[in-house]
Amino acid sequence: MESERKWRTVIYDTLDNIHLYAGLQPEVVQGLRYLAETDFSQRPDGRQELAGDDLFANLMHYETKAANDTPEAHREYIDIQYLVEGEELVGVAPLSAMTGVAEAHPERDLWLYHGPTQPLTIGKGRFLVLWPNDAHAPGIAVDGVPAHCRKCVVKVRVK
């Protein structure tokens, strides 16, 4: 796949270290700064405009679930996932490790897959940057106990 030959792998870090990523695509850096500098208690759920369709954020509330058996991936956008409230597991894996497509929704830039992932915990200042070659299964309950979360997903158009 074309995207696999030129994209990085998952970035898993804390907002305290965003200075380490200054050399990335400028919109990714801008998205990380947005996460570090925004008072989310003053922002409503829904789409937050940052730079039109090239860079925007989606804020949402939800309950985590026991499992997520259909990792997703996107071709048009990089995801930066950050929990404003709560903690969750996100299963991650290279797209090449997926064993098949479960559903495809190209109009929403969403492909769901079957395949194994490894869990990473986000919350408490940790974020994930997920490239088009990264499958990810978000919203999984830590210790299997569903919990309330508020998430901000910054969407960065692939350039």
Side-chain angles (χ1 to χ4, degrees):
M1 175 177 240
E2 181 180 320
S3 65
E4 289 184 307
R5 69 178 167 79
K6 65 180 180 179
W7 294 108
R8 298 165 175 86
T9 189
V10 171
I11 296 174
Y12 177 60
D13 207 342
T14 66
L15 290 177
D16 293 337
N17 293 323
I18 64 171
H19 63 280
L20 298 174
Y21 305 105
L24 295 177
Q25 179 178 328
E27 293 85 357
V28 172
V29 175
Q30 185 179 350
L32 289 170
R33 284 192 187 122
Y34 171 78
L35 294 174
E37 297 169 1
T38 299
D39 177 359
F40 290 102
S41 70
Q42 303 300 309
R43 301 286 174 140
D45 281 1
R47 183 173 166 139
Q48 309 292 308
E49 295 293 334
L50 304 176
D53 288 337
D54 288 337
L55 178 67
F56 60 92
N58 287 319
L59 280 159
M60 62 201 84
H61 280 90
Y62 58 91
E63 296 289 317
T64 56
K65 52 194 178 226
N68 182 344
D69 296 328
T70 51
E72 64 188 63
H74 314 286
R75 296 179 183 171
E76 298 293 323
Y77 286 92
I78 298 162
D79 270 8
I80 306 173
Q81 297 199 9
Y82 176 73
L83 281 182
V84 176
E85 298 171 16
E87 193 172 41
E88 74 176 36
L89 299 175
V90 178
V92 297
L95 190 56
S96 60
M98 296 297 100
T99 58
V101 175
E103 295 179 40
H105 303 278
E107 71 284 357
R108 294 175 24 215
D109 189 35
L110 177 65
W111 283 260
L112 301 174
Y113 294 91
H114 297 292
T117 62
Q118 293 295 313
L120 295 174
T121 305
I122 61 171
K124 300 180 182 175
R126 292 180 295 252
F127 68 88
L128 281 170
V129 179
L130 300 149
W131 309 93
N133 59 297
D134 296 318
H136 51 286
I140 303 169
V142 175
D143 297 325
V145 179
H148 174 78
C149 289
R150 186 166 193 228
K151 182 185 270 186
C152 182
V153 178
V154 176
K155 304 292 277 185
V156 181
R157 187 184 298 274
V158 173
K159 298 235 174 164

